[in-house]
PDB file of all heavy atoms in Angstrom:
ATOM      1  N   SER A  15       5.431   1.425  -9.054  1.00  0.00           N
ATOM      2  CA  SER A  15       4.010   1.330  -8.728  1.00  0.00           C
ATOM      3  C   SER A  15       3.243   0.855  -9.969  1.00  0.00           C
ATOM      4  O   SER A  15       3.713   0.889 -11.078  1.00  0.00           O
ATOM      5  CB  SER A  15       3.490   2.685  -8.250  1.00  0.00           C
ATOM      6  OG  SER A  15       3.381   3.591  -9.367  1.00  0.00           O
ATOM      7  N   ILE A  16       2.025   0.406  -9.682  1.00  0.00           N
ATOM      8  CA  ILE A  16       1.108  -0.023 -10.735  1.00  0.00           C
ATOM      9  C   ILE A  16      -0.302   0.264 -10.212  1.00  0.00           C
ATOM     10  O   ILE A  16      -0.569   0.213  -9.008  1.00  0.00           O
ATOM     11  CB  ILE A  16       1.286  -1.520 -11.074  1.00  0.00           C
ATOM     12  CG1 ILE A  16       0.420  -1.925 -12.237  1.00  0.00           C
ATOM     13  CG2 ILE A  16       1.041  -2.394  -9.864  1.00  0.00           C
ATOM     14  CD1 ILE A  16       0.700  -3.318 -12.762  1.00  0.00           C
ATOM     15  N   SER A  17      -1.179   0.647 -11.102  1.00  0.00           N
ATOM     16  CA  SER A  17      -2.570   0.875 -10.753  1.00  0.00           C
ATOM     17  C   SER A  17      -3.456  -0.049 -11.567  1.00  0.00           C
ATOM     18  O   SER A  17      -3.324  -0.118 -12.785  1.00  0.00           O
ATOM     19  CB  SER A  17      -2.946   2.347 -11.013  1.00  0.00           C
ATOM     20  OG  SER A  17      -4.289   2.574 -10.693  1.00  0.00           O
ATOM     21  N   LEU A  18      -4.308  -0.767 -10.886  1.00  0.00           N
ATOM     22  CA  LEU A  18      -5.183  -1.749 -11.525  1.00  0.00           C
ATOM     23  C   LEU A  18      -6.613  -1.559 -11.034  1.00  0.00           C
ATOM     24  O   LEU A  18      -6.844  -1.215  -9.873  1.00  0.00           O
ATOM     25  CB  LEU A  18      -4.735  -3.158 -11.184  1.00  0.00           C
ATOM     26  CG  LEU A  18      -3.307  -3.505 -11.475  1.00  0.00           C
ATOM     27  CD1 LEU A  18      -2.934  -4.820 -10.777  1.00  0.00           C
ATOM     28  CD2 LEU A  18      -3.116  -3.664 -12.965  1.00  0.00           C
ATOM     29  N   ASN A  19      -7.546  -1.795 -11.902  1.00  0.00           N
ATOM     30  CA  ASN A  19      -8.940  -1.877 -11.502  1.00  0.00           C
ATOM     31  C   ASN A  19      -9.218  -3.334 -11.135  1.00  0.00           C
ATOM     32  O   ASN A  19      -8.928  -4.214 -11.935  1.00  0.00           O
ATOM     33  CB  ASN A  19      -9.872  -1.434 -12.605  1.00  0.00           C
ATOM     34  CG  ASN A  19      -9.796   0.049 -12.888  1.00  0.00           C
ATOM     35  OD1 ASN A  19      -9.553   0.844 -11.984  1.00  0.00           O
ATOM     36  ND2 ASN A  19      -9.920   0.459 -14.130  1.00  0.00           N
ATOM     37  N   SER A  20      -9.740  -3.549  -9.969  1.00  0.00           N
ATOM     38  CA  SER A  20     -10.049  -4.916  -9.546  1.00  0.00           C
ATOM     39  C   SER A  20     -11.373  -4.921  -8.786  1.00  0.00           C
ATOM     40  O   SER A  20     -11.828  -3.885  -8.350  1.00  0.00           O
ATOM     41  CB  SER A  20      -8.911  -5.454  -8.662  1.00  0.00           C
ATOM     42  OG  SER A  20      -8.842  -4.690  -7.470  1.00  0.00           O
ATOM     43  N   GLN A  21     -11.924  -6.081  -8.647  1.00  0.00           N
ATOM     44  CA  GLN A  21     -13.176  -6.223  -7.955  1.00  0.00           C
ATOM     45  C   GLN A  21     -12.935  -7.073  -6.708  1.00  0.00           C
ATOM     46  O   GLN A  21     -12.364  -8.188  -6.801  1.00  0.00           O
ATOM     47  CB  GLN A  21     -14.221  -6.897  -8.819  1.00  0.00           C
ATOM     48  CG  GLN A  21     -14.591  -6.043 -10.039  1.00  0.00           C
ATOM     49  CD  GLN A  21     -15.297  -4.799  -9.646  1.00  0.00           C
ATOM     50  OE1 GLN A  21     -16.139  -4.785  -8.735  1.00  0.00           O
ATOM     51  NE2 GLN A  21     -15.012  -3.717 -10.347  1.00  0.00           N
ATOM     52  N   ILE A  22     -13.364  -6.599  -5.548  1.00  0.00           N
ATOM     53  CA  ILE A  22     -13.282  -7.338  -4.317  1.00  0.00           C
ATOM     54  C   ILE A  22     -14.665  -7.937  -4.061  1.00  0.00           C
ATOM     55  O   ILE A  22     -15.678  -7.241  -4.151  1.00  0.00           O
ATOM     56  CB  ILE A  22     -12.904  -6.416  -3.129  1.00  0.00           C
ATOM     57  CG1 ILE A  22     -11.542  -5.730  -3.424  1.00  0.00           C
ATOM     58  CG2 ILE A  22     -12.822  -7.217  -1.820  1.00  0.00           C
ATOM     59  CD1 ILE A  22     -10.378  -6.643  -3.653  1.00  0.00           C
ATOM     60  N   GLU A  23     -14.701  -9.216  -3.784  1.00  0.00           N
ATOM     61  CA  GLU A  23     -15.964  -9.892  -3.524  1.00  0.00           C
ATOM     62  C   GLU A  23     -16.661  -9.311  -2.310  1.00  0.00           C
ATOM     63  O   GLU A  23     -16.010  -8.867  -1.356  1.00  0.00           O
ATOM     64  CB  GLU A  23     -15.721 -11.376  -3.351  1.00  0.00           C
ATOM     65  CG  GLU A  23     -15.296 -12.080  -4.623  1.00  0.00           C
ATOM     66  CD  GLU A  23     -15.220 -13.593  -4.446  1.00  0.00           C
ATOM     67  OE1 GLU A  23     -16.116 -14.141  -3.776  1.00  0.00           O
ATOM     68  OE2 GLU A  23     -14.275 -14.182  -4.983  1.00  0.00           O
ATOM     69  N   PHE A  24     -17.991  -9.371  -2.342  1.00  0.00           N
ATOM     70  CA  PHE A  24     -18.778  -8.927  -1.189  1.00  0.00           C
ATOM     71  C   PHE A  24     -19.376 -10.142  -0.489  1.00  0.00           C
ATOM     72  O   PHE A  24     -19.717 -11.138  -1.134  1.00  0.00           O
ATOM     73  CB  PHE A  24     -19.905  -7.991  -1.652  1.00  0.00           C
ATOM     74  CG  PHE A  24     -19.503  -6.576  -1.785  1.00  0.00           C
ATOM     75  CD1 PHE A  24     -18.576  -6.154  -2.776  1.00  0.00           C
ATOM     76  CD2 PHE A  24     -19.955  -5.635  -0.903  1.00  0.00           C
ATOM     77  CE1 PHE A  24     -18.197  -4.843  -2.872  1.00  0.00           C
ATOM     78  CE2 PHE A  24     -19.556  -4.302  -0.985  1.00  0.00           C
ATOM     79  CZ  PHE A  24     -18.675  -3.897  -1.999  1.00  0.00           C
ATOM     80  N   ILE A  25     -19.512 -10.018   0.823  1.00  0.00           N
ATOM     81  CA  ILE A  25     -20.229 -11.010   1.629  1.00  0.00           C
ATOM     82  C   ILE A  25     -21.456 -10.283   2.138  1.00  0.00           C
ATOM     83  O   ILE A  25     -21.352  -9.431   2.994  1.00  0.00           O
ATOM     84  CB  ILE A  25     -19.346 -11.530   2.759  1.00  0.00           C
ATOM     85  CG1 ILE A  25     -18.094 -12.209   2.203  1.00  0.00           C
ATOM     86  CG2 ILE A  25     -20.139 -12.482   3.662  1.00  0.00           C
ATOM     87  CD1 ILE A  25     -17.074 -12.611   3.263  1.00  0.00           C
ATOM     88  N   GLY A  26     -22.610 -10.581   1.601  1.00  0.00           N
ATOM     89  CA  GLY A  26     -23.806  -9.795   1.896  1.00  0.00           C
ATOM     90  C   GLY A  26     -23.629  -8.398   1.347  1.00  0.00           C
ATOM     91  O   GLY A  26     -23.341  -8.210   0.167  1.00  0.00           O
TER      92      GLY A  26
END
Side-chain angles (χ1 to χ4, degrees):
S15 72
I16 186 171
S17 179
L18 305 166
N19 290 326
S20 63
Q21 296 293 322
I22 303 301
E23 292 186 40
F24 275 69
I25 299 173

